[in-house]
Amino acid sequence: MKVLAAGVVPLLLVLHWKHGAGSPLPITPVNATCVTRHPCHNNLMNQIRNQLAQLNSSANALFILYYTAQGEPFPNNLDKLCGPNVTDFPPFHANGTEKARLVELYRIIAYLGASLGNITRDQKILNPNALSLHSKLNATTDTMRGLLSNVLCRLCSKYHVAHVEVAYGPDTSGKDVFQKKKLGCQLLGKYKQVIAVVAQAF
Amino acid sequence: MSPKTRTDCIAWVLDVFLYLRQPSWMVDSKRMKTTSNFRWLLSAFVLLYLMNQVNSQKKGALHDLKCVTNNLQVWDCSWKPSGASRGAIYEVCIGNRSPCYLLGKTNTKISTLSPGDYEITISPLHDFGSSISKFILNEKNVSFIPDTPEILNLSADFPTSTLHLKWNDKGSVFPHHSNVIWEIKILHKENVEVIKLMTYNTTLNGKDTVHHWSWTSDMPLECATHYVGIRCYIDDPHFSGRKEWSDWSPLKNISRSSDLQSKVFPQDKVILVGSDITFCCVTQEKVISAQIGYTKCPLIHLDGESVAIKIYNISVSENSGTNVVFTTKENIFGTVIFVGYPPDIPQKLNCETHDLKEIICTWDPGRPTALVGPRNTSYTLFESFSGKYIRFKRVEAPTNESYQLFFQVLPNQEIYNFTLNARNPLGQSESAILVNMTEKVYPHTPTSVRVKDVNSTAVTLSWHLPGSFAKIKLLCQIEINKANSIQELRNVTIKGVENSSYLVAVDKLNPYTMYTFRIRCSSETFWKWSKWSNEKQYLTTEATPSKGPDTWREWSSDGKNLIIYWKPLPINEANGKILFYNVSCSSDEKTQSLSEIPDPQHKAEIELDKNDYIISVVAQNSVGSSPPSKIASMEIPNDDLKIEQAVGMGNGILLTWNYDPNMTCDYVIKWCNSSQSEPCLMDWKKVPSNSTETIIESDQFRPGVRYNFFLYGCRNQGYQLLRSVIGYIEELAPIVAPNFTVEDTSADSILVKWEDIPVEELRGFLRGYLFYFEKGERDTSKMKGLESSRSDVKVKNITDISQKTLRIVDLQGKTSYHLVLRAYTDGGMGPEKSMFVVTKENCELNTAIEMLSILKCIVFYYRKREWIKETFYPDIPNPENCKALQFQKSVCEGNSALKTLEMNPCTPNNVEVLETRTTVPKIEDTEIISPVAEHPEEISDAEPENHVVVSYCPPVVEEEIPTPGVDETGGTSQVIYIDVQSMYQPQAKPEEEQETDPVGGAGYKPQMHLPVTSTMEDPAAEDDLDTAAGYRPQANVNTWNLVSPDSPRSTDSNSEVVSFGSPCSINSRQFLIPPKDEDSPKSNGGGWSFTNFFQNKPND
């Protein structure tokens, strides 16, 4: 089920319209000429690889911080509460072409970015004193924002891809607290699992 | 009720008609209209039916008349017919109410009857077999059964697990006000399980009223379908019959929306700590376990697979809430509950203002609620006079944030009545405060402090204090600091202004002084001081010096020039930077001036004659000149002047004098170091003329230094020396011992003479000398330190400091005495100087004994010379093969012991002197008399090098310079006077030296050992001794030094060698000359070799 959540779209727009980011994805027509707002960095793939490595290295710590902050029985029931059972998570094929991998990476980062936005919002309300968790979530979101921009730049400049269909996870704003906790934990578990594969593939 | 029967067919028919035509209260007009169309048809039908009934009914009485009512207006009475009267028509007559009426049924509705008995007559018509039945009817026999209530609405508030019930009491049908009891039942399964039965009381008021009733379920409503039914009981006080409950209404139910997903309820609920709560999991899967946090809970089974758990006395939650989970085989379902407290009453609510523009209310929230985020406490600050309020709500903010709200000051309102309401999902609380804001001013910190000078003693201070204080007065405090002065605080009250700028004048300042200002303010009705502003430094402007410099004068040593001294003005009198001084000397005849002497110079010299001049000194800064300081050049003579002594108190010295009314100006005390050359002036001090004492203090004063103090009195600018005082700030012990010598000795006395100690080394007023003496030789003396407490030490305290000699009498002859002398002041004992002196012996007796011994010796040697020769010298070496007198080892080693004994004539009273000169460097001689500290051990070590053998005969004196162990600063003089005869006394040799004697085990033993000899000192001599197998000298010759035998006395002043007395006769002897020293120039001083003793020819 692909959900283009209303609460997430504005977030994505803001995310893409940040200084230094590429042009907003959904706006560009499919057959339009792909033009980046700013020239892409020379060593873009290296930057992408570094950003992926950075995300990969911090993913487990973020996961642990998250489930610890949710209270018992989360830390002791990770398989059922935080298992990577995320439906509709964008697929990734490590043996694809670079273009295909970049497109899939774009979808994944867009999905994760939106989900992390939801998680950050929920945790600020639910755990206002868990400052280290907030800090880690914000740092991860910032890195993803940069990675998304770089991936878009690469897609646009090398492969002239201007439009990528993306899907987002469920919006948690209307869900009960336990569901927010559980979905967030599952998402971060999935993130930890996926980012390792993706980082390895690049 | 008893039946009565009567028959009247016509009347019956009419009654039927009448009845059918009678409008019923239950039938509406539309229905009536329809019925009228078939009236005749129906009447015929009824008539036929009744006829049939009458015919078929058996004859008998009616029974069981029962009347009930549901509205207290109509009674519904029914009866049971007799068995054969079914279908009959009855004539019913009620008491004397008329008319009777016919009924084709067994019940009838009658209007409520007034209290009392009524006879009811029911007569079956056309049933001739039946009798008329009569009943007595009373209200008491009527049952009141209200109509079954009807639930208008049943709704549920799932988040609060609350059911809301709504129904109409239909009170309009009841004539009276009555109390109603409603009974409500709640069931989980329809008609099976009542989980709650509650009553609800209302009152009927003649109108239809819709009632609301709510009920909160322990279990979330989502957990199961809830059914609700209601009935009532009307307690009409006017009704005397039997009142009964109505029937239960039809059940209505509430169930959660059909959602196939498993869910746990309640969700995100906030509850009070300590509550009991039920959680349920609505699921299609089988639940294995349930737990809250860490704790497992027993399952309560509900419909289907749904289960519940009950938690008692729940404890407080973490920030993220308490997780409650139900575990199935594949999944975990859960919910979060937030357990906390309602808000505490806000404590320490305080409202104040910094600027009278905005009110800041702060408070302490009290006990934490344990609820955060959207469940956190929200606060509302309500001001009752204005009706305004502001809200405080935090969702994401950390919990340690301060609690404060800002309320805008309202125009023309000074008094505010604030109520702070705290609210969270568990409750609310409030706190109130009534404040006059003009009395709660806590001003901001003053800024932009500026200083501007008015004159040299006044400035203006300005600052900025934001706020709208036009309505109040401000109390400000100015802190004034200056160097080396106590802090000064001045309070000023100023009227508040709107533009925030304030200005005050600060006076009574000192000119040319660096001040530091800072300011703080409050309202005049004090509440709180603001914080101090930043410090502002300012130097006040200069003013003319307020006084002339403190002046003194001294004549130069040649008496031709007058040296004028003045002291720099203190900063509080200089009033600025002194640029220069002007000095003038004026007499009646002439005036001399020295102008513009630059400031660092505080002394001027001017050539003057002996006329009386008035010296005037003026200091000048950039503003002007000081008043002149004047002093006469000449002193007023004073013939009656004595020199006094005084001792200070460590840091100063107190001088006192008698009041002298003639002294009109002041007193001056000047002082100088007593060893200082003229003009004698270190410093001076002026004291007022009415003083009679002063303490002279100076950083230049040092303990143990003698100062001269001169007290002058002033008359008409002329000074007269009144007193002259020598003194010490603190007395110390003398730094040296008195230099003393032995002037004369006899067999029973010693005359000692000493010299004065110089003032610089005395370090205090000399109070006397201590002279110690005891028997003892140098090394055997026990006097390492002379304690007067020792009984064998005799002490003489010489307090007459003019005495310079001392004769010690009653001594023993030919005895060594140890003499010690030390001086003392009030500051302590000086170092010791010691000396060993041997008194003379009784010469006549000793000489006779010794001559007899020598004679015996000569005779013995003469008689036994052959035996001695054969015993000790059996073989005479061939002179051709041996150069006997050369003692060359290479030529004749081992034969040195074969030298023959040669007799020399005994020469009584001959003096042999052995003096070490070569081993005593000149520099050591200097050290010997140096007054520096020495230690006895060091002296012992040095002794072999320094001792001088002067004479063999008493008197012999050993002088020892101050014992360093006693006085660290004492000088050293090591001179040893040894009686040659005493050297042969074997008891003088210490044990350890005997053991280390290299010739101890072979041949002839030395008969003595010079006490001052150290056998270890000269390895070369040791070697010689080892190689000499035969006879060896009787002493360690290495330590002996040759001196001129005819030198009776050493005059070497540096080494303080003193010899005295006449030599006495003694047995002849030889001194051993150290072999190595034979070639030494020192050896040539004379004397004869010990080897000559065994040779016939000394120089063979």
Side-chain angles (χ1 to χ4, degrees):
Chain A
M1 182 179 65
K2 294 186 179 181
V3 179
L4 197 63
V8 178
V9 173
L11 175 70
L12 262 292
L13 291 177
V14 170
L15 195 141
H16 286 97
W17 285 343
K18 283 282 177 182
H19 174 73
S23 50
L25 281 178
I27 296 175
T28 310
V30 177
N31 54 0
T33 306
C34 176
V35 178
T36 56
R37 183 177 295 177
H38 300 287
C40 294
H41 195 274
N42 291 337
N43 205 358
L44 206 54
M45 281 310 291
N46 252 354
Q47 279 203 17
I48 289 172
R49 274 190 282 272
N50 289 340
Q51 285 165 324
L52 284 171
Q54 187 180 344
L55 290 172
N56 187 30
S57 64
S58 63
N60 192 47
L62 175 63
F63 181 55
I64 293 171
L65 262 180
Y66 181 88
Y67 68 65
T68 305
Q70 309 316 308
E72 278 298 326
F74 277 84
N76 292 315
N77 288 276
L78 293 180
D79 53 340
K80 287 181 178 173
L81 290 172
C82 302
N85 310 317
V86 182
T87 55
D88 296 331
F89 195 85
F92 183 77
H93 302 90
N95 51 1
T97 63
E98 182 185 279
K99 179 184 174 184
R101 282 185 284 133
L102 283 171
V103 168
E104 287 177 339
L105 174 61
Y106 189 91
R107 289 191 180 118
I108 288 171
I109 298 301
Y111 185 99
L112 285 173
S115 298
L116 277 178
N118 288 336
I119 291 171
T120 306
R121 177 200 60 202
D122 293 342
Q123 290 299 311
K124 279 186 177 174
I125 293 172
L126 189 60
N127 272 311
N129 296 326
L131 299 181
S132 56
L133 174 62
H134 302 164
S135 169
K136 203 92 180 167
L137 284 168
N138 288 331
T140 305
T141 307
D142 291 345
T143 307
M144 282 189 180
R145 185 181 292 123
L147 177 60
L148 201 67
S149 170
N150 284 339
V151 171
L152 179 67
C153 231
R154 179 73 174 175
L155 282 172
C156 185
S157 61
K158 186 171 181 180
Y159 302 108
H160 306 288
V161 174
H163 179 83
V164 178
E165 290 283 347
V166 294
Y168 303 112
D171 179 21
T172 57
S173 59
K175 295 191 180 295
D176 65 88
V177 172
F178 189 81
Q179 283 298 308
K180 287 176 181 173
K181 287 182 175 185
K182 188 177 177 183
L183 288 173
C185 205
Q186 287 175 333
L187 188 278
L188 291 177
K190 183 72 176 178
Y191 161 64
K192 186 186 82 164
Q193 183 191 62
V194 166
I195 203 70
V197 176
V198 174
Q200 186 72 26
F202 283 92
Chain B
M1 193 181 292
S2 56
K4 280 177 73 178
T5 306
R6 153 175 102 101
T7 305
D8 188 344
C9 184
I10 296 170
W12 177 80
V13 174
L14 288 175
D15 278 349
V16 170
F17 279 108
L18 283 174
Y19 177 77
L20 288 174
R21 294 186 64 182
Q22 187 178 12
S24 168
W25 61 274
M26 295 177 66
V27 181
D28 56 24
S29 59
K30 188 177 178 182
R31 185 181 168 194
M32 267 190 70
K33 191 176 179 181
T34 306
T35 306
S36 61
N37 297 330
F38 300 97
R39 185 175 298 164
W40 291 108
L41 181 63
L42 184 59
S43 299
F45 174 77
V46 170
L47 183 61
L48 290 174
Y49 176 78
L50 291 176
M51 290 295 289
N52 181 51
Q53 287 292 323
V54 169
N55 292 330
S56 63
Q57 196 170 26
K58 293 180 179 176
K59 290 182 181 178
L62 302 175
H63 58 94
D64 287 347
L65 175 67
K66 288 183 180 177
C67 291
V68 298
T69 178
N70 55 18
N71 55 16
L72 300 178
Q73 293 180 359
V74 176
W75 295 352
D76 187 1
C77 297
S78 62
W79 59 91
K80 290 184 179 176
S82 59
S85 57
R86 292 184 183 277
I89 293 173
Y90 300 96
E91 181 191 46
V92 179
C93 298
I94 302 172
N96 52 5
R97 292 173 70 184
S98 59
C100 296
Y101 56 88
L102 297 177
L103 282 176
K105 55 185 180 180
T106 59
N107 67 322
T108 181
K109 295 182 186 298
I110 55 177
S111 296
T112 300
L113 300 176
S114 300
D117 291 338
Y118 295 88
E119 186 182 70
I120 305 295
T121 306
I122 302 172
S123 307
L125 298 180
H126 314 297
D127 184 0
F128 302 102
S130 296
S131 59
I132 295 172
S133 299
K134 288 187 177 182
F135 303 93
I136 300 299
L137 181 61
N138 192 305
E139 188 183 65
K140 293 178 181 177
N141 303 122
V142 178
S143 294
F144 177 31
I145 302 173
D147 282 339
T148 301
E150 183 183 0
I151 295 174
L152 294 179
N153 187 32
L154 176 66
S155 61
D157 180 24
F158 287 102
T160 58
S161 301
T162 304
L163 285 174
H164 299 287
L165 188 65
K166 194 158 69 175
W167 71 95
N168 193 329
D169 65 3
K170 296 179 180 173
S172 59
V173 302
F174 294 97
H176 309 114
H177 286 240
S178 305
N179 294 326
V180 185
I181 301 172
W182 304 93
E183 194 169 54
I184 304 160
K185 64 180 179 182
I186 297 168
L187 304 86
H188 274 172
K189 295 175 184 175
E190 190 171 8
N191 297 326
V192 173
E193 185 183 357
V194 175
I195 60 164
K196 199 72 180 178
L197 188 64
M198 288 153 294
T199 57
Y200 178 73
N201 297 326
T202 63
T203 303
L204 299 178
N205 57 7
K207 294 186 292 185
D208 287 351
T209 303
V210 175
H211 293 282
H212 299 267
W213 177 83
S214 297
W215 171 74
T216 300
S217 171
D218 289 339
M219 179 182 287
L221 298 178
E222 298 94 333
C223 296
T225 301
H226 287 68
Y227 297 86
V228 179
I230 187 171
R231 64 176 183 172
C232 65
Y233 175 91
I234 299 175
D235 184 17
D236 190 328
H238 303 286
F239 179 71
S240 58
R242 191 170 65 250
K243 301 163 204 168
E244 296 181 17
W245 283 99
S246 71
D247 289 335
W248 285 104
S249 70
L251 294 177
K252 288 210 168 188
N253 68 73
I254 285 289
S255 61
R256 74 179 183 110
S257 59
S258 58
D259 185 354
L260 296 177
Q261 285 190 353
S262 300
K263 283 192 174 175
V264 178
F265 299 99
Q267 290 179 342
D268 308 345
K269 189 168 184 176
V270 183
I271 63 166
L272 183 65
V273 173
S275 303
D276 302 336
I277 185 172
T278 302
F279 297 93
C280 71
C281 178
V282 180
T283 180
Q284 306 299 319
E285 300 179 49
K286 181 174 176 60
V287 174
I288 301 169
S289 66
Q291 69 184 91
I292 176 168
Y294 292 101
T295 312
K296 298 263 185 185
C297 305
L299 296 175
I300 303 166
H301 290 277
L302 304 174
D303 285 341
E305 295 295 340
S306 297
V307 292
I309 57 172
K310 180 92 176 174
I311 307 297
Y312 299 95
N313 192 19
I314 195 164
S315 55
V316 69
S317 295
E318 299 291 328
N319 277 350
S320 64
T322 302
N323 300 312
V324 179
V325 295
F326 292 83
T327 305
T328 65
K329 186 178 179 184
E330 299 292 337
N331 211 336
I332 287 183
F333 307 105
T335 186
V336 177
I337 187 123
F338 299 93
V339 188
Y341 296 94
D344 201 356
I345 296 173
Q347 295 163 11
K348 301 176 186 172
L349 175 62
N350 177 45
C351 294
E352 61 188 18
T353 178
H354 290 310
D355 49 15
L356 278 179
K357 291 179 179 175
E358 192 175 53
I359 300 167
I360 303 169
C361 290
T362 58
W363 66 93
D364 180 348
R367 179 189 59 192
T369 62
L371 302 175
V372 296
R375 292 158 288 278
N376 199 359
T377 306
S378 64
Y379 292 91
T380 304
L381 184 68
F382 177 71
E383 204 286 305
S384 63
F385 296 141
S386 62
K388 295 191 172 183
Y389 62 89
I390 45 177
R391 286 205 172 98
F392 175 94
K393 176 70 179 175
R394 296 172 315 173
V395 175
E396 297 179 10
T399 53
N400 55 4
E401 189 185 318
S402 61
Y403 290 81
Q404 60 181 21
L405 274 172
F406 297 89
F407 193 92
Q408 294 301 313
V409 168
L410 300 169
N412 305 318
Q413 183 174 345
E414 291 184 357
I415 297 174
Y416 294 78
N417 186 17
F418 288 111
T419 301
L420 181 69
N421 181 275
R423 181 189 297 268
N424 77 1
L426 293 177
Q428 60 177 322
S429 61
E430 64 180 31
S431 181
I433 184 173
L434 180 69
V435 289
N436 182 344
M437 290 319 300
T438 60
E439 296 175 353
K440 295 278 187 176
V441 178
Y442 173 34
H444 287 293
T445 306
T447 57
S448 307
V449 178
R450 291 189 173 83
V451 188
K452 205 172 174 182
D453 52 65
V454 176
N455 54 42
S456 62
T457 59
V459 296
T460 57
L461 276 178
S462 64
W463 67 89
H464 184 79
L465 185 64
S468 178
F469 298 125
K471 291 180 182 173
I472 64 169
K473 286 185 175 179
L474 293 174
L475 173 65
C476 291
Q477 202 166 48
I478 302 169
E479 185 188 272
I480 304 170
N481 278 303
K482 64 178 179 180
N484 304 320
S485 178
I486 59 170
Q487 186 181 82
E488 183 184 354
L489 287 174
R490 296 190 193 177
N491 290 339
V492 290
T493 302
I494 49 180
K495 185 157 186 350
V497 295
E498 287 289 340
N499 65 1
S500 309
S501 294
Y502 296 89
L503 178 77
V504 296
V506 181
D507 57 0
K508 297 177 185 173
L509 302 175
N510 293 331
Y512 196 61
T513 304
M514 180 61 79
Y515 283 97
T516 304
F517 301 98
R518 60 176 187 165
I519 300 155
R520 64 179 180 179
C521 291
S522 165
S523 60
E524 192 180 27
T525 54
F526 181 81
W527 166 240
K528 283 180 182 175
W529 284 115
S530 71
K531 290 178 182 170
W532 284 106
S533 69
N534 288 335
E535 292 184 340
K536 184 73 178 177
Q537 281 196 330
Y538 192 76
L539 180 67
T540 50
T541 56
E542 294 190 8
T544 56
S546 58
K547 288 177 67 178
D550 187 359
T551 309
W552 190 245
R553 81 281 176 271
E554 289 285 327
W555 287 96
S556 61
S557 56
D558 58 3
K560 292 180 179 175
N561 294 340
L562 185 70
I563 307 170
I564 302 146
Y565 303 91
W566 61 91
K567 293 181 181 176
L569 285 169
I571 189 72
N572 59 337
E573 293 176 353
N575 291 343
K577 178 175 172 51
I578 299 299
L579 302 175
F580 50 82
Y581 299 91
N582 293 325
V583 179
S584 66
C585 306
S586 57
S587 67
D588 295 339
E589 298 171 358
K590 62 176 182 180
T591 299
Q592 297 182 56
S593 295
L594 294 172
S595 298
E596 298 195 354
I597 301 167
D599 174 53
Q601 187 176 332
H602 299 110
K603 174 182 163 186
E605 193 165 351
I606 192 165
E607 186 176 345
L608 290 179
D609 54 31
K610 291 298 181 183
N611 288 331
D612 202 0
Y613 288 88
I614 296 295
I615 316 298
S616 173
V617 181
V618 167
Q620 185 157 346
N621 63 14
S622 64
V623 177
S625 300
S626 70
S629 290
K630 293 183 177 178
I631 186 170
S633 62
M634 300 302 291
E635 286 185 8
I636 302 167
N638 185 357
D639 299 330
D640 184 20
L641 191 66
K642 286 191 293 187
I643 297 178
E644 304 165 42
Q645 291 185 350
V647 177
M649 303 162 292
N651 55 350
I653 189 165
L654 174 66
L655 293 181
T656 60
W657 58 89
N658 294 324
Y659 174 73
D660 186 349
N662 295 327
M663 299 305 156
T664 54
C665 323
D666 49 33
Y667 290 96
V668 167
I669 299 97
K670 75 158 191 176
W671 62 91
C672 64
N673 191 323
S674 65
S675 60
Q676 186 181 343
S677 60
E678 290 293 329
C680 174
L681 180 65
M682 277 176 63
D683 202 354
W684 73 92
K685 178 182 180 182
K686 282 187 178 172
V687 293
S689 58
N690 58 356
S691 301
T692 58
E693 64 175 27
T694 187
I695 295 176
I696 308 297
E697 291 177 316
S698 171
D699 292 339
Q700 296 175 312
F701 285 149
R702 297 285 179 270
V705 177
R706 178 175 292 185
Y707 297 98
N708 293 337
F709 298 89
F710 303 96
L711 173 67
Y712 292 88
C714 173
R715 292 189 293 202
N716 301 325
Q717 300 167 351
Y719 284 88
Q720 181 181 31
L721 180 60
L722 301 178
R723 292 176 63 188
S724 176
V725 178
I726 59 172
Y728 293 87
I729 295 304
E730 182 184 357
E731 287 189 279
L732 299 177
I735 201 170
V736 297
N739 202 8
F740 80 104
T741 57
V742 175
E743 286 293 299
D744 186 24
T745 61
S746 65
D748 63 349
S749 70
I750 298 172
L751 176 62
V752 178
K753 181 182 180 183
W754 59 89
E755 300 169 358
D756 283 334
I757 298 174
V759 167
E760 292 79 9
E761 295 170 327
L762 198 54
R763 307 201 299 173
F765 294 117
L766 179 66
R767 300 302 181 198
Y769 301 93
L770 284 178
F771 191 91
Y772 309 84
F773 64 99
E774 65 161 357
K775 287 182 188 175
E777 295 179 356
R778 176 176 169 70
D779 279 348
T780 58
S781 172
K782 294 174 286 185
M783 289 196 299
K784 293 296 181 188
L786 278 169
E787 296 91 13
S788 58
S789 58
R790 279 168 48 191
S791 59
D792 52 344
V793 175
K794 294 179 179 172
V795 184
K796 284 185 180 295
N797 185 5
I798 302 153
T799 56
D800 178 7
I801 60 173
S802 62
Q803 181 179 337
K804 298 295 180 228
T805 60
L806 176 67
R807 178 173 292 280
I808 312 165
V809 297
D810 297 334
L811 303 179
Q812 293 179 355
K814 201 187 174 185
T815 304
S816 177
Y817 281 93
H818 183 196
L819 313 178
V820 172
L821 182 63
R822 60 199 308 193
Y824 64 89
T825 67
D826 283 345
M829 289 286 182
E832 298 172 2
K833 187 163 190 179
S834 66
M835 182 182 290
F836 288 88
V837 178
V838 180
T839 54
K840 292 179 182 176
E841 66 178 339
N842 189 337
C843 288
E844 293 176 359
L845 179 60
N846 287 345
T847 303
I849 295 170
E850 287 172 0
M851 289 201 46
L852 184 60
S853 300
I854 292 168
L855 189 59
K856 286 179 180 177
C857 181
I858 292 169
V859 172
F860 174 77
Y861 275 111
Y862 181 76
R863 286 182 179 176
K864 298 294 181 181
R865 64 184 184 278
E866 290 301 323
W867 176 80
I868 291 170
K869 185 176 178 182
E870 288 175 3
T871 303
F872 295 101
Y873 302 96
D875 297 317
I876 302 300
N878 187 352
E880 294 177 1
N881 298 331
C882 179
K883 294 178 181 178
L885 297 177
Q886 291 179 1
F887 295 101
Q888 291 180 356
K889 293 179 182 177
S890 59
V891 177
C892 193
E893 187 171 355
N895 289 339
S896 60
L898 301 177
K899 294 175 182 175
T900 56
L901 178 64
E902 181 181 358
M903 296 297 293
N904 286 321
C906 180
T907 310
N909 295 332
N910 198 2
V911 176
E912 297 132 14
V913 176
L914 188 62
E915 182 176 8
T916 300
R917 290 189 180 277
T918 56
T919 57
V920 181
K922 189 73 174 178
I923 187 70
E924 293 185 8
D925 290 345
T926 306
E927 288 177 351
I928 284 169
I929 62 166
S930 171
V932 297
E934 290 184 9
H935 301 288
E937 293 79 5
E938 291 169 359
I939 292 172
S940 298
D941 293 342
E943 276 171 355
E945 304 295 328
N946 296 328
H947 79 272
V948 177
V949 178
V950 178
S951 172
Y952 77 96
C953 189
V956 177
V957 175
E958 291 182 31
E959 185 181 20
E960 190 177 79
I961 293 297
T963 306
V966 176
D967 176 35
E968 70 282 4
T969 57
T972 300
S973 178
Q974 292 191 344
V975 182
I976 303 170
Y977 303 90
I978 300 175
D979 176 13
V980 174
Q981 189 177 27
S982 69
M983 292 193 310
Y984 289 86
Q985 295 171 357
Q987 73 275 9
K989 183 177 181 182
E991 269 186 34
E992 58 273 21
E993 291 186 5
Q994 290 173 355
E995 288 170 3
T996 56
D997 192 338
V999 294
Y1004 177 78
K1005 296 277 187 178
Q1007 292 147 349
M1008 62 84 71
H1009 192 282
L1010 198 64
V1012 295
T1013 300
S1014 171
T1015 57
M1016 302 304 289
E1017 288 293 324
D1018 192 342
E1022 212 173 309
D1023 292 341
D1024 288 341
L1025 292 171
D1026 291 339
T1027 54
Y1031 176 79
R1032 297 302 299 163
Q1034 294 112 331
N1036 188 348
V1037 295
N1038 187 45
T1039 61
W1040 292 3
N1041 296 303
L1042 189 61
V1043 71
S1044 174
D1046 56 355
S1047 299
R1049 175 180 187 149
S1050 171
T1051 55
D1052 188 343
S1053 61
N1054 284 342
S1055 59
E1056 300 206 7
V1057 174
V1058 178
S1059 177
F1060 47 86
S1062 305
C1064 296
S1065 65
I1066 195 170
N1067 294 339
S1068 73
R1069 73 213 49 190
Q1070 283 280 13
F1071 279 91
L1072 295 177
I1073 305 302
K1076 282 190 175 179
D1077 291 340
E1078 283 184 355
D1079 297 328
S1080 170
K1082 298 286 181 183
S1083 310
N1084 298 332
W1088 32 277
S1089 167
F1090 190 84
T1091 54
N1092 292 342
F1093 188 83
F1094 299 100
Q1095 291 177 346
N1096 294 327
K1097 295 178 181 179
N1099 297 317
D1100 190 2

